[in-house]
Amino acid sequence: MQIYKNNSLHLYNTTSGKKELFSPISDGNVGMYVCGPTVYSNVHLGNVRTFMSFDVIYRYLLHLGYNVRYVRNITDAGHLTDDGDVENDRFVKQSKLEKLEPMEIVQKYTVDFHKVLQEFNFLEPTIEPTATGHIIEQIELTQKMIADGFAYESNGSVYFNVLEYNKKGMNYGELSNRNVEELFANTRDLDGQSEKKNPQDFALWKNASPAHIMRWNSPWGAGFPGWHLECTAMSTKYLGENFDIHGGGMDLKFPHHECEIAQAKASFGHSPVNYWMHTNMLTMNGLRMSKSTGNYVLPMELIGGNNPFFEKSFSANVIRFCFLQAHYRSVLDISNDAMVAAEKGFNRLMEGIALLDKLVASSTSTLSIQNWKEQCYKAMNDDFNTPILIANLFEGVKYINLVNDKKETLTVDDIAILKETLNAFVFDVLGIKNVKSSSNNTDKLTGVVEMLITMRDEARANKNWALSDEIRDKLAATGVILKDGKDGTSFSI
Ligand SMILES: [Zn+2]
């Protein structure tokens, strides 16, 4: 079904600062690139939020009938540390901490990333390329930029010459509205000052000593590619020199995406991307999430309930539902109260959907289902407004309850539209995992665990701590985690 033909999807383009009508380069096809994770630590909730926003965007484009090539990379080399330690990128630094090979670090955290995304029911991207798999492409782009006068070699490293780029009539800073003179004045150079002509120049290639394990041969000696360059190399390879959508977290706007634009314009003579999209931050209890302040919870800790911030465990479905109640360009704040409220709302939505099969049709409709359906599309066509969509879905649940209570009526056809639309938006577009099909086994398992919790409560009442602990530990060994709270014991599977 090609719904997009009668549809008017608008999306907010960071470049113009406006919502624009989406018009892909090739009719019916969409090329989308999203900057993936740097796999040197566990994926954090902020990343999950960013990738979930693009998962829903991907899902909605598919739902509209577009043929989408969605490329999301894995950064497994070249991402320097924030402290500008040029000898160690993030992988080398972490490998020293964990006493593992850098590629073991990459493997460990790539697996973690995939597991977490699977847990949250993400669709796989169509291509997931790695930086280390595209060293040759990055070297070739660097050679081209040197040949065209946009980059220079210095002490075995290669830097992009920002001033030269501007002199040739382009504007470094166009995406984030930065002025190059101001940037020069405010730059605190940590990244090889002595090698660069100007402090704002950024590395396309970094030389590396033999102590650096992750290094490759190049025309400039052994080294590794710069982080910004990998995205230009991979997006170009799989989506072409000009593609539709490029996304990422707003923290990547500068310098990462700014550098990508400069590299592409220098290499190909034109803008690489038609629509730049950026997601906002995630906070917890009103504060920035950060390991150093301790205001921090990992995705699996939130699901498992083993953290000090949330009184119970929450299913991945509830967390997804909670996240999508905020628009992707707004700050999302999570808290225990927000999650509990989301769980109640989620259950209400699921109960409504379950009731759909039991509705009795009438010969006439007293509600306008067509109008309601249009409102659902209108919300998503307005820059993927998931909170408004969710409000409309609850309106649908209200209709179900009114018809069920015989206060309103719907025809067979209208019930079918209501059902089809709710299912499409809840499961296909918002990406809620439909657990109905496996509910029989889940119900049985839930029953068994609840029985064991009751037995454990009895053991505790009799002060039989050994048995109580044994039940908890043996359940934990099978992956069922019990959590004691003030309202009794909850569990996560
Ligand atoms: Zn990137």
Side-chain angles (χ1 to χ4, degrees):
M1 237 196 325
Q2 295 174 333
I3 304 171
Y4 67 84
K5 294 215 158 144
N6 312 309
N7 212 274
S8 58
L9 172 62
H10 284 70
L11 50 83
Y12 183 89
N13 192 346
T14 308
T15 316
S16 64
K18 286 186 194 125
K19 286 181 199 168
E20 296 175 10
L21 178 68
F22 179 59
S23 169
I25 296 162
S26 155
D27 187 35
N29 297 295
V30 179
M32 177 162 93
Y33 186 92
V34 172
C35 292
T38 301
V39 283
Y40 73 105
S41 63
N42 292 105
V43 60
H44 59 79
L45 270 180
N47 288 141
V48 171
R49 195 229 172 164
T50 294
F51 298 129
M52 191 184 288
S53 302
F54 288 105
D55 183 59
V56 170
I57 288 167
Y58 178 41
R59 285 168 173 275
Y60 188 57
L61 291 169
L62 292 176
H63 172 74
L64 294 180
Y66 284 111
N67 178 24
V68 188
R69 183 178 289 174
Y70 173 24
V71 182
R72 188 187 63 211
N73 69 301
I74 295 274
T75 295
D76 58 352
H79 200 155
L80 293 174
T81 57
D82 288 331
D83 57 13
D85 177 354
V86 287
E87 195 48 48
N88 294 313
D89 66 14
R90 292 180 188 216
F91 308 97
V92 175
K93 196 153 196 160
Q94 191 66 21
S95 74
K96 284 178 180 162
L97 272 175
E98 294 195 36
K99 297 195 171 34
L100 293 170
E101 285 281 328
M103 260 332 221
E104 283 181 299
I105 292 293
V106 164
Q107 180 69 13
K108 179 178 170 183
Y109 293 113
T110 302
V111 169
D112 169 75
F113 174 67
H114 286 147
K115 261 194 197 160
V116 170
L117 264 54
Q118 210 168 22
E119 195 71 36
F120 284 100
N121 200 32
F122 277 63
L123 293 181
E124 301 278 348
T126 30
I127 303 176
E128 193 173 48
T130 61
T132 55
H134 298 76
I135 302 289
I136 291 167
E137 287 83 349
Q138 295 178 74
I139 290 174
E140 283 171 359
L141 273 176
T142 305
Q143 283 174 310
K144 186 169 179 357
M145 283 186 263
I146 294 176
D148 294 344
F150 288 102
Y152 57 91
E153 193 247 321
S154 171
N155 194 26
S157 294
V158 180
Y159 292 96
F160 188 91
N161 192 331
V162 170
L163 274 189
E164 200 55 39
Y165 176 75
N166 275 21
K167 257 190 227 159
K168 290 182 198 271
M170 282 161 286
N171 172 23
Y172 180 77
E174 61 181 275
L175 181 71
S176 51
N177 291 321
R178 283 170 207 237
N179 173 304
V180 116
E181 280 74 36
E182 269 169 42
L183 284 171
F184 282 159
N186 296 330
T187 300
R188 183 172 58 106
D189 183 43
L190 298 162
D191 185 12
Q193 167 76 64
S194 55
E195 291 179 356
K196 293 185 190 178
K197 289 187 180 165
N198 305 297
Q200 206 57 47
D201 293 352
F202 57 90
L204 300 173
W205 186 265
K206 287 295 294 181
N207 64 344
S209 69
H212 199 284
I213 301 166
M214 306 242 308
R215 61 187 205 137
W216 292 263
N217 288 326
S218 79
W220 318 285
F224 57 91
W227 171 42
H228 312 307
L229 187 58
E230 65 171 275
C231 286
T232 300
M234 291 186 272
S235 59
T236 308
K237 176 154 181 161
Y238 300 109
L239 299 172
E241 292 175 6
N242 182 220
F243 56 95
D244 299 301
I245 299 174
H246 191 316
M250 61 188 276
D251 53 324
L252 296 186
K253 229 190 274 180
F254 185 87
H256 186 54
H257 291 160
E258 205 70 74
C259 294
E260 276 188 52
I261 292 174
Q263 289 162 167
K265 281 193 165 179
S267 303
F268 316 121
H270 57 78
S271 233
V273 173
N274 288 2
Y275 303 91
W276 280 95
M277 298 183 73
H278 292 96
T279 58
N280 212 319
M281 293 191 314
L282 178 136
T283 58
M284 185 164 71
N285 298 320
L287 300 168
R288 205 187 152 84
M289 277 181 93
S290 144
K291 247 184 203 168
S292 56
T293 59
N295 193 51
Y296 188 80
V297 59
L298 285 171
M300 295 312 277
E301 291 171 345
L302 186 54
I303 292 175
N306 47 332
N307 66 77
F309 302 99
F310 296 84
E311 63 184 30
K312 61 189 281 299
S313 59
F314 294 95
S315 72
N317 260 348
V318 167
I319 299 168
R320 183 181 256 270
F321 187 70
C322 180
F323 279 20
L324 296 177
Q325 283 181 324
H327 187 257
Y328 77 88
R329 282 192 292 116
S330 307
V331 173
L332 163 68
D333 186 51
I334 56 164
S335 63
N336 190 64
D337 288 352
M339 210 61 84
V340 168
E343 189 172 52
K344 277 191 189 145
F346 176 77
N347 290 340
R348 203 151 56 83
L349 184 61
M350 290 303 120
E351 282 158 18
I353 290 174
L355 209 54
L356 264 171
D357 289 329
K358 296 178 184 134
L359 292 188
V360 181
S362 301
S363 53
T364 54
S365 288
T366 54
L367 296 161
S368 174
I369 295 303
Q370 201 56 44
N371 179 49
W372 167 80
K373 180 180 170 180
E374 280 164 22
Q375 294 304 314
C376 291
Y377 279 99
K378 200 176 154 197
M380 285 304 279
N381 286 341
D382 183 18
D383 192 29
F384 309 96
N385 200 323
T386 53
I388 302 283
L389 170 69
I390 289 172
N392 283 317
L393 298 178
F394 278 120
E395 190 68 11
V397 169
K398 196 173 102 189
Y399 291 175
I400 295 168
N401 289 322
L402 286 170
V403 173
N404 191 51
D405 294 343
K406 312 227 172 343
K407 288 178 181 148
E408 302 280 359
T409 61
L410 287 177
T411 61
V412 174
D413 289 350
D414 276 346
I415 290 175
I417 296 170
L418 184 60
K419 191 173 176 178
E420 187 191 87
T421 309
L422 265 174
N423 279 324
F425 278 107
V426 172
F427 301 114
D428 301 346
V429 175
L430 294 183
I432 298 296
K433 198 187 238 167
N434 193 347
V435 287
K436 229 199 237 165
S437 50
S438 60
S439 65
N440 258 351
N441 282 339
T442 310
D443 287 351
K444 280 181 201 155
L445 183 58
T446 303
V448 171
V449 175
E450 280 168 356
M451 186 186 77
L452 285 164
I453 290 174
T454 309
M455 286 171 68
R456 181 167 167 262
D457 287 343
E458 283 166 14
R460 292 207 303 179
N462 295 328
K463 297 199 165 39
N464 188 347
W465 308 119
L467 179 61
S468 149
D469 289 350
E470 191 183 348
I471 293 174
R472 185 197 60 207
D473 296 345
K474 287 201 168 157
L475 276 174
T478 63
V480 180
I481 309 297
L482 299 189
K483 188 168 191 222
D484 299 318
K486 55 181 192 290
D487 298 326
T489 304
S490 59
F491 67 94
S492 59
I493 298 172

